[in-house]
Amino acid sequence: MTDDRVSPAFIADERAMLDSWLDWHRETLAVKCAGLPEERLRERSVPPSSLSLLGLVRHMAHVERVWFRRVLDGEDVPLLYSKAEDPDSDFNDVDTASVEEAFAIWRAEIEVAREISARVPLDAVGKQQRHGQDVSHRWILVHMIEEYARHNGHADLLRERLDGAVGE
């Protein structure tokens, strides 16, 4: 695996620290997927799980959209994939999903999230509640770091099983 990630800052203000860790985790998922053919990106972990690297990319595109565009910015954008019919469609519907499209959507959602995040103070409260509660921008950033970190652990195991590649 080639690794072009920029390490998170060791010393920075809170905003720069949060942004650098989130970007590092975003790129970690990309590193875990790099160089694999489409069929390997679709390959499931172990039955009965539908977890795959492609599913993780699709899931994180969905998560980026929900937290930054819908919750923080209040945009009325549709959910990605078929979440209404199947809450796990981002993971379940990968057999015929376009890998190129999934990565393009994920990258596009990251760019929109960065734009929204850059113009909103950390203490700002999202325009949509989540589970009946207000959510701060700071909480969203911490949650996104946690979400990527958890799923990057899954990606580590998937990648090692697929071709033996390991790494941070």
Side-chain angles (χ1 to χ4, degrees), residues 13-29:
D13 65 26
E14 182 182 17
R15 180 58 172 267
M17 185 73 66
L18 292 169
D19 287 343
S20 70
W21 272 105
L22 181 52
D23 282 340
W24 188 83
H25 277 293
R26 286 167 168 155
E27 287 308 307
T28 297
L29 182 55

Side-chain angles (χ1 to χ4, degrees), residues 94-166:
V94 299
D95 293 334
T96 59
S98 165
V99 170
E100 185 177 327
E101 179 182 60
F103 276 85
I105 290 169
W106 177 53
R107 289 289 187 195
E109 290 300 329
I110 288 170
E111 287 311 309
V112 172
R114 282 182 180 134
E115 290 169 11
I116 293 168
S117 187
R119 62 179 158 78
V120 177
L122 289 176
D123 290 330
V125 173
K127 294 179 181 174
Q128 246 186 42
Q129 288 188 326
R130 191 71 173 166
H131 306 295
Q133 296 196 17
D134 289 336
V135 182
S136 74
H137 181 204
R138 178 181 285 104
W139 188 96
I140 291 169
L141 290 171
V142 171
H143 172 68
M144 290 299 295
I145 293 166
E146 170 274 324
E147 180 92 3
Y148 270 102
R150 181 165 34 95
H151 289 311
N152 283 338
H154 299 137
D156 279 337
L157 294 172
L158 283 163
R159 183 63 190 250
E160 185 174 5
R161 189 184 67 74
L162 291 171
D163 69 357
V166 295

